[in-house]
Amino acid sequence: MKIIIINGPNLNLLGKREPEIYGSATFEDYYKKLQEKFPKVEFTYFQSNIEGELIGKIQEVGFSYDGIVLNAAAYTHTSVGIGDAIKAVTTPVVEVHISNTHKREAYRHVSYISPVAKGVILGFGLQSYDLAIQSFL
Ligand code: DQA
């Protein structure tokens, strides 16, 4: 089973960025644990702060991978382009957020990903990614 985790803007700063919201673990440390926890999954990880690179990656893997776990971060709330890319490919996408975006500012209540995602998991910290992986197994 081939699964890619795609993280959007500012998620390269996990561990340093607003730890009261996003926690103090780096994604790299968490990713190592995730790989140990799901040894049968062939993982790929991609992070970009650039919308077009996220779209390019979805197009690149979206006809051959078994699943995409996508935290589009701030682009969740703005990107018609990422939503269209998800619609264009055949690989199912699970939308993930570390924080419960519905508890936060009103502009974070809108998602261009949710209507085209297989499912949405949010608010469980980094464990949201575990739950998304499990949904594909
Ligand atoms: C986030 C929530 C978004 O609103 C925010 O812009 C992020 C991270 C989350 O994982 O909680 O960068 O996607």
Side-chain angles (χ1 to χ4, degrees):
M1 156 122 355
K2 282 172 77 157
I3 295 181
I4 186 166
I5 298 174
I6 301 180
N7 272 345
N10 302 306
L11 292 172
N12 54 313
L13 294 181
L14 285 177
K16 288 186 210 154
R17 171 193 185 200
E18 298 179 274
E20 64 289 357
I21 298 176
Y22 300 114
S24 52
T26 67
F27 197 80
E28 286 65 27
D29 287 345
Y30 170 73
Y31 183 56
K32 273 186 210 139
K33 288 190 196 133
L34 203 58
Q35 286 171 293
E36 285 162 17
K37 189 168 169 186
F38 298 102
K40 289 190 183 144
V41 175
E42 204 183 311
F43 281 103
T44 310
Y45 175 56
F46 179 76
Q47 189 279 329
S48 177
N49 295 322
I50 300 168
E51 186 176 14
E53 288 186 358
L54 297 168
I55 292 170
K57 187 53 79 176
I58 291 166
Q59 291 181 3
E60 184 190 316
V61 301
F63 296 94
S64 56
Y65 276 56
D66 300 298
I68 298 174
V69 173
L70 174 65
N71 185 345
Y75 289 138
T76 304
H77 318 299
T78 61
S79 181
V80 175
I82 294 177
D84 281 353
I86 295 168
K87 271 201 257 179
V89 300
T90 51
T91 299
V93 173
V94 171
E95 176 184 358
V96 158
H97 299 285
I98 298 165
S99 63
N100 179 352
T101 48
H102 295 288
K103 263 191 185 170
R104 301 179 64 193
E105 301 92 331
Y107 61 83
R108 294 185 205 274
H109 301 176
V110 173
S111 170
Y112 286 87
I113 313 299
S114 301
V116 291
K118 183 181 175 202
V120 183
I121 299 171
L122 54 87
F124 295 98
L126 286 173
Q127 213 202 330
S128 296
Y129 292 88
D130 285 58
L131 298 168
I133 304 296
Q134 276 175 35
S135 77
F136 284 114
L137 304 180

